[in-house]
Amino acid sequence: MTYRAGVVGAAGFAGIELVRILTRHPEFELAAATSDALAGTPIAQVYPAFTGVTDLAFSTHEGTDLAACDVVFLAVPHKAAMGAAPALIEAGVTVIDLSADFRLKNPAVYEQWYAPHTAPDLLAQAAFGLPELTGDELAAAAERRAAGEAVLVGCAGCYPTATSLAAAPAIRAGLVDGAAPVVADAVSGVTGAGKKATERTHFCFANENMEAYGVGTHRHTPEIEQILGLQGRLVFTPHLAPLNRGLLSTVTLPLAPGAAPATEELVALYRDFYAASPLVSVMDAGVQPRTASVAGTCRAQVGVAVHPAGLIVATGAIDNLGKGAAGQGVQCANIVFGLPETCGLEEIANPV
């Protein structure tokens, strides 16, 4: 059975990555790609990579019959998704949201970092979309959808995905000091900032430059704390690198008193943790993840080592548009619709 899929906000970087994945997906048919600014313009005219791939044109949000879709992906700015999702759910459409609007479980926390939440009832129902770590929520959503209910998934952000995949196995194994700060330093490519150029992301400012931003105030902080159970203990610092796409997070975790694993033991623990996760690869001891090795895919690479100062250093590499956004959205949709989670996501990165 083929499911009709729509992408709202398809002209942006995450949206067009969804278009790329869905045009090749064997079970989802791309039926609509909306962009008010580009309505009526063929996708291939704006993004020539789609020449010979699709004749679909962008359509307006309001003028598109999204209710005829089985699933709609929202690739829209924060605060816009919570306005769009209720009507779609009411119409019986499953919604996969790539924004932050349905990630944080506590509406008071959302208000603190974003704005008052206008759909708190849906927030309470939303499954959190990070399949390797919240598979139980997605499995429950799949059961509800199979029973005829439209479901909502709030997909994890790019920084939280790489950081949490790197840190979760050690934390869940009880190897990390439960009172000490955890430090995450993460570096992202410029596409993570969205399509509209700013004084930070304009080529002339981003090229040949690296800088930290959002120090101590970045909105992904509460999301990472929620995933990892680190409330009030996370020191998260994002950085912008002159890359198109790719994200690397290095997480420094203090060992719990009495814990003294060897690096090889940690690698074995991590491999056991991700044994049922086909899109996550744990590197050998002494080998570190590379963003180039996952670019253009929904794959993640994770590395881990013991530091002699009584620390674990865990690293995670993803494509910020792939596993950090569009690919993860499709992975979640696969699970919710009862498909293999890797369906349509088998790409490997260019080796060079």
Side-chain angles (χ1 to χ4, degrees):
M1 178 178 181
T2 300
Y3 300 100
R4 289 171 57 84
V7 178
V8 176
F13 288 149
I16 202 64
E17 182 71 357
L18 278 166
V19 170
R20 184 176 79 93
I21 296 170
L22 293 171
T23 54
R24 297 173 297 124
H25 198 286
E27 303 295 339
F28 291 128
E29 174 195 356
L30 181 62
T34 79
S35 167
D36 283 344
L38 294 171
T41 306
I43 292 172
Q45 182 176 320
V46 182
Y47 290 98
F50 291 98
T51 301
V53 176
T54 180
D55 295 326
L56 194 66
F58 293 109
S59 57
T60 62
H61 306 324
E62 296 299 326
T64 302
D65 185 14
L66 295 171
C69 293
D70 299 293
V71 59
V72 167
F73 297 85
L74 299 180
V76 295
H78 310 313
K79 299 184 283 189
M82 60 182 170
L88 290 168
I89 295 293
E90 181 67 24
V93 179
T94 286
V95 174
I96 310 293
D97 178 31
L98 271 58
S99 83
D101 286 1
F102 295 99
R103 295 173 187 163
L104 297 173
K105 302 294 188 182
N106 187 336
V109 175
Y110 183 89
E111 181 172 354
Q112 177 186 348
W113 291 86
Y114 294 93
H117 206 288
T118 60
D121 54 333
L122 284 183
L123 181 63
Q125 300 172 23
F128 188 84
L130 210 177
E132 293 77 12
L133 301 182
T134 63
D136 53 343
E137 292 189 41
L138 292 168
E143 291 179 1
R144 297 200 309 273
R145 199 210 66 82
E149 181 181 342
V151 299
L152 170 63
V153 176
C155 294
C158 53
Y159 282 126
T161 295
T163 301
S164 300
L165 291 176
I171 291 174
R172 295 189 181 184
L175 295 174
V176 178
D177 189 329
V182 168
V183 177
D185 292 314
V187 184
S188 175
V190 181
T191 52
K195 187 177 179 181
K196 186 176 180 179
T198 68
E199 289 189 3
R200 179 181 291 119
T201 62
H202 188 291
F203 175 83
C204 294
F205 299 120
N207 188 45
E208 297 293 335
N209 179 59
M210 280 191 65
E211 63 177 294
Y213 65 98
V215 179
T217 62
H218 196 277
R219 289 173 168 179
H220 279 163
T221 300
E223 184 183 341
I224 299 170
E225 291 182 339
Q226 174 182 280
I227 298 167
L228 297 176
L230 296 175
Q231 281 72 16
R233 295 196 291 123
L234 177 69
V235 182
F236 172 61
T237 307
H239 302 73
L240 190 69
L243 306 168
N244 281 350
R245 51 200 296 169
L247 190 155
L248 181 72
S249 185
T250 301
V251 192
T252 304
L253 306 123
L255 280 165
T263 293
E264 291 75 11
E265 292 174 318
L266 280 178
V267 169
L269 182 150
Y270 270 58
R271 285 185 170 156
D272 183 64
F273 187 94
Y274 288 121
S277 301
L279 294 174
V280 177
S281 298
V282 178
M283 313 305 287
D284 291 338
V287 179
Q288 288 298 315
R290 303 172 71 246
T291 59
S293 297
V294 293
T297 79
C298 190
R299 301 177 186 275
Q301 291 186 347
V302 174
V304 64
V306 176
H307 191 282
L311 306 166
I312 293 172
V313 179
T315 51
I318 63 171
D319 183 325
N320 55 287
L321 294 181
K323 182 59 176 162
Q328 182 138 271
V330 173
Q331 185 183 1
C332 291
N334 285 340
I335 294 170
V336 167
F337 280 81
L339 305 172
E341 66 180 277
T342 59
C343 190
L345 299 172
E346 295 88 354
E347 280 290 331
I348 60 172
N350 291 328
V352 294

